[in-house]
Amino acid sequence: MATNEVIRIGTRGSQLALAQASEVRARLMAAHGLPGEAFDIAVISTSGDRIQDRPLSEVGGKGLFTKEIEAALLDGRIDIAVHSSKDMATVLPEGLRISAFLPREDVRDVFIGRTAKTIADLPQGATIGSASLRRQALLKRLRPDLNVITFRGNVQTRLRKLEEGQADGTLLAMAGLNRMDMQHTATEILSAKDFPPAPGQGAICIESRIGDGRVDGLVAAIADAATAVALTAERAFLAELDGSCRTPIAAYAHHREDRTLTLHGVILTPDGTGMHETWRTGIDEDAEAMGRLAGRDVLEAAGPDFFKGWAE
């Protein structure tokens, strides 16, 4: 597919975000036989990147990593936006849609230990840094004795804080380390069953304007159907719970070659003492309904007071 206009790709400026945007560009080049100069990667500073002194839950949640990029997409400064799917709100700005998911990377979290290689080997009262309420809650559930603190910043910033001795360990996504060829920094890979990931973890998504046929034709060639099905279920689970960075929620949908899907959904209290989970299996076409029903499952099990107080 030929084009006379440069395709402008909007992204955050972290090393991981740039790696993701570069992957999208490389896949588009390969799919359409286009040269590198047919694309321009535009770095857009987001509120989430600039605000580093407070937890996301206190300053607006997920949208802080996407709103400035989405504004550039809506006003035409960029043609497509590249995001980590787990940063995406379940309701997008009017006029925008997720037009493609790339093949999913490893969904698992990893532990990076400074004073011990595994979570089990950490001494009593060790300090662990993480910005994710889900990771914090799961960690507290595993080891209530640990001192869990908020660690903000990109991967490199968090690893620097670890080296400086601000914590004994931290948790990151294996997918991000893989994309930056930094797998060696992980000291323990955590099971997705016992330490379930965030909805959308490991998946890059492309956001574009509704009705932009030129872009639709480009990105359709690199869209991964299996990832789209899995993310439909996970995002429906999240939407049913009205999930944000204020609530510890985990979900992982595993797509099989026989076109069936298994979804594991989890909600927790921030201190890890309360947890409800569900599993549902169905066919691809029922992915959204499965996610919605799974959300209702855990809400019914948790009761009306589960989210009160701490989720506001």
Side-chain angles (χ1 to χ4, degrees), residues 6-8 73 77-81 207-209 214-215:
V6 172
I7 304 297
R8 297 160 298 175
L73 192 54
R77 282 177 285 153
I78 59 174
D79 299 300
I80 62 175
E207 187 179 23
S208 59
R209 292 181 291 272
R214 170 172 168 260
V215 165

Side-chain angles (χ1 to χ4, degrees), residues 75-139:
D75 67 21
R77 282 177 285 153
I78 59 174
D79 299 300
I80 62 175
V82 177
H83 305 285
S84 294
S85 296
K86 67 179 181 180
D87 290 338
M88 299 296 286
T90 54
V91 178
L92 303 182
E94 186 175 353
L96 301 182
R97 73 184 186 103
I98 295 176
S99 47
F101 293 100
L102 267 56
R104 197 171 199 173
E105 247 285 2
D106 197 321
V107 303
R108 295 174 295 178
D109 282 317
V110 300
F111 175 68
I112 301 175
R114 183 178 62 85
T115 56
K117 289 187 176 181
T118 69
I119 293 172
D121 289 338
L122 285 165
Q124 289 278 318
T127 297
I128 306 300
S130 175
S132 161
L133 287 187
R134 172 190 60 87
R135 288 173 179 149
Q136 290 180 357
L138 287 168
L139 190 60

Side-chain angles (χ1 to χ4, degrees), residues 25 93 95 101 143-144 146 153 155 169 193-195 252 260 292 298:
R25 178 179 61 186
F101 293 100
R143 289 284 307 270
L146 297 177
V155 171
K193 179 178 180 294
D194 299 328
F195 208 95
Y252 175 45
T260 61
R292 293 282 183 181
V298 292

Side-chain angles (χ1 to χ4, degrees), residues 131-312:
S132 161
L133 287 187
R134 172 190 60 87
R135 288 173 179 149
Q136 290 180 357
L138 287 168
L139 190 60
K140 290 173 183 176
R141 188 168 182 82
L142 283 174
R143 289 284 307 270
D145 63 288
L146 297 177
N147 174 36
V148 182
I149 63 172
T150 297
F151 242 28
R152 287 292 316 283
N154 60 37
V155 171
Q156 285 70 28
T157 298
R158 280 181 265 181
L159 292 178
R160 175 180 53 77
K161 289 179 178 180
L162 196 59
E163 290 174 3
E164 291 172 351
Q166 295 185 32
D168 297 295
T170 190
L171 298 163
L172 293 172
M174 189 74 210
L177 297 181
N178 284 342
R179 290 187 175 115
M180 294 183 289
D181 198 23
M182 294 175 62
Q183 306 92 319
H184 61 280
T185 61
T187 59
E188 180 184 15
I189 299 176
L190 306 175
S191 160
K193 179 178 180 294
D194 299 328
F195 208 95
Q201 184 156 306
I204 296 171
C205 71
I206 298 174
E207 187 179 23
S208 59
R209 292 181 291 272
I210 293 173
D212 190 335
R214 170 172 168 260
V215 165
D216 289 346
L218 278 170
V219 303
I222 64 170
D224 186 74
T227 303
V229 169
L231 269 287
T232 295
E234 291 172 23
R235 287 175 58 77
F237 177 75
L238 190 64
E240 191 68 24
L241 299 171
D242 193 24
S244 72
C245 286
R246 298 177 178 85
T247 55
I249 295 170
Y252 175 45
H254 177 63
H255 181 267
R256 294 184 174 86
E257 291 183 0
D258 63 358
R259 294 178 57 80
T260 61
L261 194 70
T262 298
L263 173 66
H264 179 204
V266 181
I267 56 173
L268 303 104
T269 53
D271 63 5
T273 58
M275 186 180 86
H276 296 278
E277 58 186 337
T278 185
W279 285 265
R280 277 191 172 263
T281 299
I283 59 174
D284 287 2
E285 290 77 9
D286 294 337
E288 183 169 359
M290 280 176 56
R292 293 282 183 181
L293 289 170
R296 291 170 198 166
D297 287 345
V298 292
L299 284 175
E300 183 177 351
D305 296 330
F306 189 82
F307 288 105
K308 284 187 177 178
W310 55 266
E312 297 173 357

